Amino acid sequence: MAITKNVIAGICTAFLFACGNTPQTGEKKDFIEENIEFARAQIGKELDVIEASGKCLNPVTLKPDSSVYYCGYADWRSGFFPGSVWYLYELTGDTTLLPLAVKYTEAIEEAKNLTWHHDIGFIINCSFGNGLRLAGTPAYKEVIIQAARSLATRFRPVAGIIQSWNVDRGWQSERGWECPVIIDNMMNLELLFEATRLSGDSTYHKIAVSHADRTLAEHFRPDGSCYHVIDYSLKDGSVRHRQTAQGYADESIWSRGQAWAIYGYTICYRETHDRKYLDQALKTFHMMRSLKQMPADLIPYWDMDAPNIPNEPRDASSAACIASALYEISTLDVPDAASYKAYADSLLVSLSSPAYRAPLGTNGHFLLMHSVGSIPHNSEIDVPLNYADYYYLEALKRKRDIEREQ
Ligand code: GLY
């Protein structure tokens, strides 16, 4: 990706907006409001396309022919578009978005019964979780609890973890794994904590804590970076392999994995107040921020050990997820809390600049450009991804909430 002088000028301008919380002069709009307006217009165009189709389409990314890829309810990414519409409804107060958020959310309800993969947390928490928070629909509670029941079927007591992937089909069956757990799975725990709150059944909370503890023990290297995949023995719970699936190498720093770890352990701290979880989130973040190869605009390469840095694709989805987590961290009792908000602000400035934020009406109506799905699978390289947009909107909302209280 070529970063031109114009793009750098755009980043600088956006940075000036972001730094000042005082009203902007003249016709200049506040940084947050301008980005919300853009998101409303851009996603509004996607909503027009979907509504005109007469179907309940669920946009994920762009295909190689530049058409939009839409997914079904079982895809791990099916909750992000409904979740983005909820965030847009919250950010704009536009009540015309409410019935759409409800419709796209309820279209994926069947995901609550999925037991063949672990991503039920991503799917149901981003959609029904936000729906419950914003609309309070009582029926959504039972959906969340049922989803937690489904996720709990994947708990393997011998290892104390939730199995991420099945190994009886697809490319996962070719790796010789018995019980693979990926760091991404930390993101599914929020659903379990919520299900215990809603149901009063502590089983889900206990499973989440067990998973977080074993992952803390096995997934991390001494420098705070994490492996992508840990394969456990189903006979005795021991570790069989430490590997990658979506990173450059087993020992490399796959950026989105680090983002899932930072965000996931921040959730665990919020839910348990156990300081070791926050310490891990901070350690992983400080490892990332101190990497010499981190680019000046702070948007990570897809893997921070990829061989052709600086000529490697960036991953805006990692940056958006880390930004959102850092806003939460900045509200916690941590030394130098303001520095985490400052770093998150810098990430949002970069993401909102012309280098990453798409021009209105382009990019398949996704907000952000330049994310990476999986380079080892030659899939979704330097494309928009709906989860980059979701965490970008969440980060904008968190920034707005924090600044309103200041
Ligand atoms: N959970 C899959 C990914 O992060 O790409």
Side-chain angles (χ1 to χ4, degrees):
M1 182 192 62
I3 306 242
T4 64
K5 275 187 191 160
N6 283 349
V7 166
I8 291 169
I11 292 176
C12 293
T13 309
F15 188 70
L16 288 174
F17 280 127
C19 290
N21 295 331
T22 49
Q24 303 299 318
T25 54
E27 69 287 353
K28 286 179 184 170
K29 289 199 189 84
D30 169 79
F31 174 82
I32 299 174
E33 289 311 315
E34 195 276 328
N35 281 301
I36 293 171
E37 263 181 41
F38 165 76
R40 177 67 186 92
Q42 183 80 328
I43 293 180
K45 288 178 184 291
E46 182 60 27
L47 293 170
D48 290 345
V49 171
I50 294 170
E51 290 303 298
S53 77
K55 299 180 201 154
C56 220
L57 300 173
N58 195 326
V60 175
T61 185
L62 287 181
K63 295 192 271 192
D65 68 3
S66 297
S67 61
V68 175
Y69 174 73
Y70 300 103
C71 72
Y73 74 84
D75 190 299
W76 77 276
R77 302 159 297 184
S78 70
F80 293 118
F81 182 69
S84 291
V85 180
W86 281 114
Y87 273 132
L88 206 52
Y89 164 62
E90 183 175 19
L91 285 164
T92 61
D94 179 347
T95 53
T96 64
L97 291 168
L98 179 58
L100 297 174
V102 169
K103 183 166 85 170
Y104 302 139
T105 292
E106 295 181 0
I108 60 168
E109 179 172 343
E110 186 51 29
K112 69 186 179 186
N113 295 317
L114 286 172
T115 55
W116 59 268
H117 67 65
H118 68 141
D119 286 318
I120 311 120
F122 273 118
I123 297 172
I124 297 295
N125 203 46
C126 297
S127 54
F128 284 89
N130 277 311
L132 181 61
R133 185 173 64 81
L134 292 169
T137 313
Y140 290 6
K141 292 183 190 169
E142 189 44 45
V143 174
I144 290 168
I145 295 166
Q146 175 54 33
R149 269 188 217 113
S150 298
L151 183 54
T153 66
R154 301 186 66 79
F155 185 60
R156 308 288 178 248
V158 67
I161 49 74
I162 299 162
Q163 181 168 348
S164 294
W165 292 325
N166 288 359
V167 292
D168 58 349
R169 71 181 93 158
W171 63 267
Q172 287 98 335
S173 65
E174 293 160 16
R175 298 290 301 260
W177 293 327
E178 222 168 275
C179 177
V181 175
I182 58 176
I183 191 67
D184 323 32
N185 208 339
M186 288 302 301
M187 301 294 284
N188 291 312
L189 304 185
E190 195 169 7
L191 175 88
L192 297 176
F193 289 120
E194 177 70 356
T196 285
R197 244 191 319 278
L198 294 174
S199 67
D201 182 347
S202 63
T203 309
Y204 310 117
H205 185 106
K206 285 181 186 149
I207 288 175
V209 167
S210 173
H211 184 94
D213 285 348
R214 188 77 202 267
T215 299
L216 196 67
E218 308 294 358
H219 251 90
F220 291 90
R221 308 182 183 108
D223 68 358
S225 67
C226 65
Y227 290 92
H228 183 202
V229 186
I230 304 292
D231 179 36
Y232 293 95
S233 161
L234 286 174
K235 285 178 219 70
D236 61 12
S238 61
V239 171
R240 299 178 71 237
H241 304 106
R242 288 186 167 84
Q243 294 178 326
T244 197
Q246 286 167 251
Y248 167 63
D250 290 344
E251 294 296 331
S252 71
I253 301 173
W254 176 52
S255 293
R256 197 163 51 255
Q258 314 312 306
W260 296 147
I262 295 165
Y263 192 114
Y265 278 103
T266 304
I267 292 168
C268 289
Y269 175 69
R270 182 209 306 155
E271 297 290 347
T272 64
H273 304 292
D274 188 335
R275 190 78 193 190
K276 68 176 185 270
Y277 298 142
L278 181 58
D279 289 345
Q280 185 60 63
L282 294 176
K283 188 171 179 187
T284 302
F285 167 65
H286 285 294
M287 176 279 303
M288 281 294 272
R289 86 177 290 176
S290 61
L291 290 172
K292 285 191 293 296
Q293 65 273 38
M294 184 63 80
D297 68 5
L298 305 181
I299 309 301
Y301 298 102
W302 70 280
D303 188 303
M304 296 305 288
D305 293 313
N308 299 312
I309 287 173
N311 298 313
E312 291 281 355
R314 306 294 189 86
D315 181 32
S317 76
S318 308
C321 182
I322 292 172
S324 186
L326 291 179
Y327 281 123
E328 176 158 2
I329 289 172
S330 77
T331 67
L332 304 174
D333 178 20
V334 285
D336 208 8
S339 70
Y340 299 104
K341 179 172 183 296
Y343 196 97
D345 284 347
S346 300
L347 287 171
L348 276 197
V349 167
S350 290
L351 290 174
S352 305
S353 76
Y356 297 95
R357 201 186 84 176
L360 185 63
T362 68
N363 200 40
H365 304 132
F366 294 96
L367 305 178
L368 300 180
M369 307 178 284
H370 306 310
S371 289
V372 168
S374 182
I375 285 186
H377 298 93
N378 197 25
S379 172
E380 299 165 357
I381 302 169
D382 198 14
V383 291
L385 288 168
N386 64 359
Y387 42 102
D389 289 1
Y390 175 87
Y391 291 107
Y392 173 74
L393 289 173
E394 184 178 80
L396 272 180
K397 179 199 123 47
R398 289 180 172 183
K399 175 174 167 64
R400 190 177 75 171
D401 288 353
I402 290 167
E403 291 179 4
R404 278 183 173 169
E405 284 186 11
Q406 280 172 348

